[in-house]
Amino acid sequence: GNSVTQMEGPVTLSEEAFLTINCTYTATGYPSLFWYVQYPGEGLQLLLKATKADDKGSNKGFEATYRKETTSFHLEKGSVQVSDSAVYFCALKRMDSSYKLIFGSGTRLLVRP
Amino acid sequence: DTAVSQTPKYLVTQMGNDKSIKCEQNLGHDTMYWYKQDSKKFLKIMFSYNNKELIINETVPNRFSPKSPDKAHLNLHINSLELGDSAVYFCASSSRVGRGYEQYFGPGTRLTVT
């Protein structure tokens, strides 16, 4: 079946540290991949996406590369800020008529000053 | 302008009551969704409508009934509320075109059943 596995949190970092949040997926065919972010008390916002192998999505200093050989879409940022504290969700979109998004369990990031 | 809006933002009610949550989008999208997020932040799709037609109906108790009067609105009615229904419910919308389509989420409705 289709699934997304994320590293468990919370991930606690100091400001300006390097961030990696791991995400791997299982899917048939070639899904599209997404990272969503949920700030405290808010809904989910799309952070970045990639629609085919080797694509790199990037936004607000965050990056993730669609790696088909390792079925991964790890999220990275070179220097985190306190304002990046949030829950990050990796997701895949099935390439069939269901148009479902399948989410990982979310990873909470805490950035300390 | 709010793209996807939900009302109410907070809903506190007693077991056994019936309640509704409303969702509206002004993005011109043709597909809308309801998600449930539990206390551990796990997010799961419940329903999806495309052009007022139900296209996704996950394993959800039949106490939950979505209604889509038009493409811009998707409401969720819940009968006989139970403690386990306490969660945050998110509405989302998207355009059902292309590989890289994205879903836009509303701010959520926090439902507390006492």
Side-chain angles (χ1 to χ4, degrees):
Chain A
N2 298 279
S3 66
V4 176
T5 302
Q6 287 182 238
M7 61 190 291
E8 284 197 27
V11 173
T12 304
L13 296 173
S14 297
E15 208 165 19
E16 299 185 2
F18 185 86
L19 168 71
T20 301
I21 300 179
N22 290 339
C23 171
T24 57
Y25 67 90
T26 303
T28 52
Y30 300 92
S32 293
L33 301 173
F34 304 83
W35 276 102
Y36 280 83
V37 58
Q38 185 178 26
Y39 297 104
E42 297 185 12
L44 279 74
Q45 302 172 26
L46 179 69
L47 182 60
L48 52 85
K49 65 184 180 185
T51 59
K52 60 183 188 296
D54 300 325
D55 266 4
K56 178 186 281 188
S58 60
N59 186 25
K60 299 180 182 180
F62 291 89
E63 292 183 340
T65 301
Y66 189 142
R67 301 278 188 208
K68 188 172 184 302
E69 63 276 13
T70 54
T71 61
S72 65
F73 193 54
H74 304 323
L75 182 68
E76 296 181 336
K77 186 175 186 184
S79 176
V80 293
Q81 306 300 313
V82 172
S83 58
D84 293 326
S85 298
V87 181
Y88 292 82
F89 292 90
C90 185
L92 70 82
K93 173 178 170 283
R94 287 167 42 164
M95 295 315 297
D96 59 22
S97 60
S98 73
Y99 290 83
K100 277 174 142 178
L101 270 184
I102 296 172
F103 285 89
S105 55
T107 302
R108 183 181 298 277
L109 170 65
L110 298 173
V111 180
R112 302 195 188 284
Chain B
D1 281 345
T2 304
V4 182
S5 59
Q6 295 179 227
T7 54
K9 188 168 175 64
Y10 300 96
L11 182 55
V12 181
T13 189
Q14 292 184 329
M15 285 175 57
N17 285 347
D18 303 338
K19 290 293 178 185
S20 291
I21 307 172
K22 296 185 176 182
C23 178
E24 176 180 1
Q25 55 95 4
N26 63 6
L27 297 167
H29 289 161
D30 57 3
T31 307
M32 296 184 72
Y33 311 80
W34 278 111
Y35 287 87
K36 180 180 180 181
Q37 186 175 46
D38 63 24
S39 58
K40 295 185 178 180
K41 298 291 188 183
F42 187 71
L43 200 66
K44 187 174 180 188
I45 191 165
M46 301 172 68
F47 303 103
S48 177
Y49 271 76
N50 173 256
N51 286 322
K52 301 195 298 177
E53 180 185 348
L54 183 65
I55 57 171
I56 296 175
N57 186 358
E58 293 295 283
T59 307
V60 176
N62 57 14
R63 298 182 294 103
F64 290 78
S65 53
K67 284 189 172 53
S68 182
D70 56 56
K71 284 196 309 182
H73 296 85
L74 180 62
N75 303 324
L76 182 65
H77 188 75
I78 315 171
N79 289 326
S80 303
L81 278 154
E82 300 177 357
L83 292 177
D85 298 332
S86 296
V88 181
Y89 292 84
F90 287 102
C91 176
S93 73
S94 70
S95 176
R96 204 184 185 194
V97 175
R99 272 186 75 84
Y101 89 109
E102 62 187 76
Q103 293 185 14
Y104 291 79
F105 283 77
T109 296
R110 181 175 294 277
L111 171 65
T112 304
V113 182
T114 62

